[in-house]
Structure formats: structure tokens, C-alpha cells
Amino acid sequence: MLDFPPTVTDEERAYEWADQLDNLLLDVGPIVPRTDLRRRAAACVRGLLAPLSRKNGWRLAEHAGDAAPHGQQHLLSRARWDADELRDFVRRYIVQGLDDDRCGLAPGRAGVLVIDEAGFAKKGRTSAGAARQFTGCLGGVFPGQVGVVAVWATARGQGLIDRELYLPREWTQDPHRCRAAHIPHGTGFATKPRLAGRMVERTLPDLSQGRVWVAADEVCGRDGAFRASLEAHRLPYAVTVQANHTVLPRPGWRHIARLVERTAAEQDWVELPAGPSPLDTRVWQWWVRRAPDTDSELGDGAWARWIIARRRADDPGGRDYFLAWGPEETPVEELVTVPGARWRGEEAIRLATSACGLADYEVRSYGGWYRHISLAMLAAAFLAVHDARAASEPQAGAAPPAQRGGDR
């Protein structure tokens, strides 16, 4: 009989980690039809997972043993393969890998689809979509590109599943500039909520069975068309809105901040956790009230609207505001976890950036951006699914430390 040691060594864990990555790259292979490009793409993903300080073309080429980055540049620019097909593969891989048959983030719920932004500092005028624009993740107005991203979050983890590059009007109104950046002819201006809506529509068929909630920032939250599209799909949501967002027609009570200020008594605030974070359980004080809604149906199975405010116990004046819509029987404990899932999107972006080179690209073309982001999403998806498997199997080890974030 074979004699297996009682413990698993770090070397054995590293071999298992490498085998799982090899299997993933074999599954991805058909997306890149030519054998030489397939090897190049596999080397790129391995480089994105490697402990490199930066993961640009030169560093990835050196890691692959190439003398120059021409092969990497060809993969991201002129080579024939479909970045959207890779995006769809990543989405299915994440949804299946993070599926939890035992429980969702709440009873009967499959997970939360988080809509967020990713900002990429980029100087100059030739990179597709680059402009001086407000970027929430960078904290102000900076020259750069903005990507609208979708993150799937369950009790087992979170991962990037979709992306769209935002093109400001100064780009879509300049056909010569668009042509130079290889932006497809006829690409018109689309707001960030509209890009988010496109991602929601193509994501829905692949999501797990059960109640899927949507969480989004105030850019999407204040957009009535975006909220209406979610309601048309019967997708419950909790979205961030600004303090001056209009919620009631009554004079003097139109702004959500004013309404909360006038009606929320101190004893009405309830302390509830909004979901676990990497450091602790995020406990906030919440004020949740049903909002009048003449458009909603009545009776069994009716859906309702809520006005939600959140604050820290040590800072009662600093409040965040949300609008929610969903089944009227939804408990408050479930409602508050949806806004709390916003940090899951931030964590997914942070992992892809620090460990998988999401922002380290040097491509300028429209298609090159999508190709790099999709490859980085694949690398980050592997880490997310591997962590989920490791957490469910105590005997399995985590990924080798060198694979997390490089030598930054």
C-alpha cells in the first residue's frame, strides 16, 4: 500500500497550485486558436501571477524568457482572439467556483452583483478614453481611464466578471482620435450607468439560482433609468444616493438627508453588521424605513421600496444614504448586507491590481485595454476560486506567498 505522510508540505501545495493553474489554462486554450499564441497567453497569465514588482510588457517578457516584449505586444494588439469570449469564460468560472450550495450571503440568496469603477492613471491623449475626469477610486479629478466593472460576491469570495471602458464625450465626438486608438466605428457615447446596464443584462443568464441582489455606487444609484432597468428584470437592489437625492414629493422633505434628519429619532438607529471585512466585522448603525410607492403591486408577493441611512456610532453626523427595492418580506438584516457588499467590489479590484497587474498595462488601443484587463481578470479569478476551495478544504493550503502581490 502507498504510504502517505500525515501532513502536506509547502512544496506539495505549490505543485497542487501549479497543477490547478495548468488545468485552467488548458480550459482557456480554445479561446486562443493558434498554438503559439496559446503558449504566449499562458505565459502572460503566469507572469501576471508571478512575484514581479510591475507587470508590464518588458517584465512579462523577461519572466517568459523572451529577449523583448514584441510577443506580448502582439498578443494584446494584432493577434486574432476574442477578449469578450475570455470575459464570458471568466464569468462562468467565477460563478461556478464561488457557488455555495450550503448558504448564500443570506437565506435564499445566491449572491450580490456589485457595480463599481476602476480608475487607471494615464497621461497623454492617445490612450483610448484617457482624459481628465473624476475617478472615485483615485479620489478626485485626474488624467486617466475609467473602467466600469462588475463583481460577483458570495459567501465564499468575490471576483471580477465583467468590464467596460468609459469613453468621455470628447472622445466619441472626435472620430479621428477614435480611429487612431482603434475604437470600433460607430461606438457612441454611453454613460457609466448605461455601461453597467449592459453588463447586468449579459451577466444574468450565468448567475446562480436564488435571489440575486445588485449593489451600486451613487453614479448608478442616482440614475433613474438604471434603477428602472433592474426593476424590469425583477432584480432587487440597494444603491447609494447623494444626500440631496429626491425621495418624496412633499415640500421640505424632498431630499433624503433632510427626511432622515427630521424623522429619525435616536432610538430608531439599530446597530447591525453589514458583512465581514478583512479586518473585522463591519458594524454600523442603520435607519431603515419603507417608502410609499404607488407604482408597486399590493398583496402576496408584492415588492417594496426602502430608504436606508447608515452611520458610525462615533460619527453620527457622517451618514451614507441608500435606496432599496425588493420583496416586501425582506428582513432588515438582509437589506443592510447589500450596501455592505460594496467593499467586496473594492477587494476584488484591489486583488486584481496588486496581485495580477490589472493597472500595469502599457497598451493604448481600445482592444488592447480589453485584452489586458480580461487576462488580468482570469489571473485574479484563479486566485479567488483557489482561495474559496482552500477555505472549504481545511487540509489544503493557500497559494504560495510569493504569488500574492509580488515584491511591491
Side-chain angles (χ1 to χ4, degrees), residues 154-406:
T154 73
R156 300 189 67 192
Q158 60 277 333
L160 288 165
I161 60 172
D162 209 336
R163 73 289 177 266
E164 286 286 357
L165 178 62
Y166 172 70
L167 297 175
R169 290 187 187 275
E170 66 182 78
W171 272 87
T172 57
Q173 294 175 353
D174 189 340
H176 299 291
R177 196 177 180 190
C178 288
R179 192 178 306 116
H182 300 284
I183 296 172
H185 177 70
T187 301
F189 175 74
T191 64
K192 295 173 184 176
R194 187 175 178 183
L195 294 176
R198 292 175 185 172
M199 292 191 293
V200 170
E201 289 186 1
R202 62 175 171 247
T203 295
L204 277 179
D206 289 326
L207 295 185
S208 306
Q209 296 297 316
R211 188 181 304 168
V212 174
W213 283 86
V214 176
D217 61 11
E218 64 183 32
V219 174
C220 292
R222 67 175 178 240
D223 189 277
F226 175 76
R227 299 196 309 273
S229 69
L230 297 180
E231 294 176 16
H233 287 293
R234 300 291 284 184
L235 279 174
Y237 61 78
V239 295
T240 309
V241 293
Q242 295 174 311
N244 62 352
H245 186 85
T246 300
V247 290
L248 292 177
R250 183 175 176 179
W253 289 39
R254 295 177 61 83
H255 294 169
I256 189 170
R258 185 174 298 174
L259 183 148
V260 173
E261 185 69 29
R262 291 187 178 186
T263 61
E266 191 62 31
Q267 64 270 19
D268 294 337
W269 293 87
V270 180
E271 195 165 272
L272 293 169
S277 74
L279 299 179
D280 58 6
T281 297
R282 296 193 171 191
V283 176
W284 300 79
Q285 291 183 342
W286 299 85
W287 184 84
V288 181
R289 289 294 183 273
R290 283 277 300 271
D293 182 11
T294 57
D295 295 331
S296 292
E297 69 272 28
L298 301 175
D300 294 340
W303 286 43
R305 300 186 189 278
W306 291 269
I307 296 170
I308 303 175
R310 180 180 72 180
R311 71 182 189 183
R312 284 288 193 185
D314 56 356
D315 183 20
R319 301 190 185 113
D320 301 312
Y321 304 97
F322 310 90
L323 294 181
W325 182 79
E328 64 176 358
E329 73 276 7
T330 304
V332 173
E333 291 78 10
E334 180 174 350
L335 276 175
V336 301
T337 60
V338 182
R342 282 284 313 285
W343 76 267
R344 307 286 293 276
E346 298 170 6
E347 284 299 303
I349 295 170
R350 186 176 298 114
L351 173 68
T353 302
S354 64
C356 303
L358 185 72
D360 289 346
Y361 59 88
E362 294 176 335
V363 294
R364 295 181 177 179
S365 69
Y366 184 81
W369 185 88
Y370 277 94
R371 289 184 169 193
H372 172 85
I373 299 298
S374 300
L375 288 165
M377 283 170 53
L378 176 64
F382 173 73
L383 294 181
V385 172
H386 182 273
D387 283 350
R389 291 171 177 167
S392 63
E393 301 174 2
Q395 72 275 14
Q403 304 293 341
R404 299 307 176 89

